[in-house]
Amino acid sequence: MTSPENVRRVACVGAGVIGGGWVAHFLARGYEVTAWDPAPDAEPRLRRLVEAAWPTLTRLGLAEGTSTDRLTVTGTLEQAVADAEFVQESAPEKLALKRDLLARLDAATPPGVVIASSTSGYPMTDMQTTAADPSRLVVGHPFNPPYLIPLVEVVGGERTDAAAVAWASRFYEVAGKSVITMDNEVPGFIANRLQEALWREALHMVASGEATVRDIDLSITEGPGLRWAVMGPMLTFALAGGEGGMAHMLDHFGPSLKSPWTRLAAPELDKELYDAVVAGCDEAADGRSIADLVAERDRGVVEVLRATGRLGPEEDSR
Ligand SMILES: NC(=O)C1=CN([C@@H]2O[C@H](COP(=O)(O)OP(=O)(O)OC[C@H]3O[C@@H](n4cnc5c(N)ncnc54)[C@H](O)[C@@H]3O)[C@@H](O)[C@H]2O)C=CC1
Ligand SMILES: C[N+](C)(C)CC(=O)CC(=O)[O-]
């Protein structure tokens, strides 16, 4: 098996929002990338995504000599993975599809090569049921866009070899990601469980007319979101306790945890709520296209990474 430090060839299977983002990331880091996606327009769509991300990746710092020419889009899944030293699957979030696809990838990928799924929440135990060699299948859950948001959550299933989890975690680190390796499978992993709690509550508030889509977004971008880019919710709240830190925070505000502030059950996503959320986002976009918003987000995230010291001086100066 190739060591994580020596991997040169990566295959990305499924090349939509996330698969395309992974392709852009791996190219920027200097890997040879093969990609496969069954959609008829997949190749031009993927190349557009990579071209749009490239200025941001250039600001972040490209690997020596790399270019978008290192991307090969293949006609079959088997060609994409034939010489791969790592495989990242990013197909639609449907359990039956993931099961079949991971079994197919396992059959086509050279023995010993780790295959990671970008799934947002399926436990690997539920996805690895039909693969001949489930021991090399791991979850490598990214955040959108994978070329810009550092975090990857790595976790195996009941039939995954612990060595494959360790290999994947090390590989992602070498490839420039920030990794959380989880010992236990939890649906939604860590970050999506937290995001989902916020998201459910936001939808309840829109559904019941308590807040508009704009109010929801402002409440985060002008409020806690500013702090969260610097410190997570735990340390942020430790500061709410002043000199007494988290202990005083818990003594002071612990009892209000019992207040009925949240309704964690999922709201009914009926037509009214669906339409209200879509219309609210259209209004918030205020004429900006999705491409405009992606560019704006990317510029902003680069500035946040820079301002919070996550971009080293070497990368910064390129
Ligand atoms: N969109 C997001 O914010 C995030 C998504 N994810 C996960 O990434 C995965 C992909 O999601 P997106 O990129 O958002 O979806 P997407 O809909 O943008 O892309 C999915 C791609 O998979 C292709 N595809 C369809 N059937 C396929 C098959 N049998 N084999 C290979 N490719 C196939 C489609 O043609 C499409 O290009 C999902 O598992 C999702 O949960 C993870 C993190 C964030
Ligand atoms: C919306 N989502 C559940 C697919 C989001 C993620 O999985 C992670 C992210 O990018 O926020």
Side-chain angles (χ1 to χ4, degrees):
M1 190 200 282
T2 311
S3 72
E5 290 77 10
N6 288 327
V7 169
R8 299 279 25 103
R9 294 183 302 279
V10 170
C12 293
V13 170
V17 173
I18 292 303
W22 274 122
V23 167
H25 177 77
F26 289 129
L27 286 172
R29 292 280 162 168
Y31 295 95
E32 297 281 343
V33 181
T34 47
W36 176 77
D37 185 301
D41 64 339
E43 179 161 2
R45 187 158 44 83
L46 170 59
R47 291 197 185 275
R48 276 200 304 277
L49 188 156
V50 172
E51 289 305 327
W54 211 249
T56 298
L57 290 163
T58 305
R59 286 185 74 196
L60 290 175
L62 298 173
E64 196 67 38
T66 196
S67 90
T68 55
D69 294 345
R70 292 191 180 175
L71 169 63
T72 306
V73 180
T74 63
T76 66
L77 170 153
E78 286 72 18
Q79 289 166 336
V81 300
D83 292 321
E85 294 162 309
F86 174 72
V87 177
Q88 184 79 40
E89 170 274 309
S90 308
E93 192 76 352
K94 293 180 183 154
L95 187 55
L97 184 153
K98 295 274 197 201
R99 275 187 186 141
D100 290 351
L101 181 59
L102 288 172
R104 225 179 125 194
L105 285 172
D106 173 47
T109 303
V113 169
V114 172
I115 301 169
S117 172
S118 295
T119 181
S120 299
Y122 294 134
M124 180 47 82
T125 296
D126 294 347
M127 296 191 293
Q128 66 189 169
T129 51
T130 53
D133 178 11
S135 71
R136 55 161 154 181
L137 301 180
V138 305
V139 167
H141 175 234
F143 289 77
N144 188 40
Y147 58 81
L148 196 49
I149 305 295
L151 184 62
V152 184
E153 295 169 309
V154 180
V155 61
E158 282 170 9
R159 299 170 69 201
T160 305
D161 191 329
V165 174
W167 190 99
S169 294
R170 179 66 193 141
F171 168 72
Y172 284 126
E173 278 168 11
V174 172
K177 306 298 289 184
S178 296
V179 178
I180 296 177
T181 307
M182 297 176 66
D183 292 333
N184 300 301
E185 283 191 288
V186 185
F189 319 119
I190 297 172
N192 270 356
R193 289 180 79 90
L194 296 172
Q195 290 204 108
E196 184 83 358
L198 185 78
W199 171 233
R200 285 184 180 189
E201 198 53 37
L203 289 177
H204 275 300
M205 295 185 92
V206 173
S208 58
E210 294 160 349
T212 62
V213 166
R214 181 171 181 277
D215 294 335
I216 297 289
D217 277 351
L218 271 183
S219 78
I220 297 301
T221 58
E222 294 297 306
L226 284 172
R227 301 187 302 220
W228 286 340
V230 183
M231 284 174 202
M234 291 292 184
L235 263 192
T236 293
F237 270 2
L239 301 187
E243 289 184 2
M246 183 52 100
H248 179 58
M249 152 73 191
L250 291 175
D251 294 342
H252 191 176
F253 300 107
S256 66
L257 277 174
K258 303 274 185 199
S259 308
W261 280 3
T262 54
R263 293 154 284 204
L264 283 181
E268 195 53 49
L269 199 51
D270 57 20
K271 184 165 173 4
E272 198 182 344
L273 177 56
Y274 188 102
D275 289 348
V277 172
V278 171
C281 287
D282 286 347
E283 194 185 320
D286 198 20
R288 290 167 295 178
S289 67
I290 293 289
D292 293 338
L293 291 169
V294 165
E296 194 175 312
R297 176 202 61 195
D298 287 7
R299 270 196 308 276
V301 174
V302 170
E303 292 310 322
V304 170
L305 290 171
R306 192 188 304 275
T308 52
R310 277 119 145 156
L311 285 187
E314 208 180 320
E315 290 165 306
D316 221 3
S317 62
R318 286 188 212 185

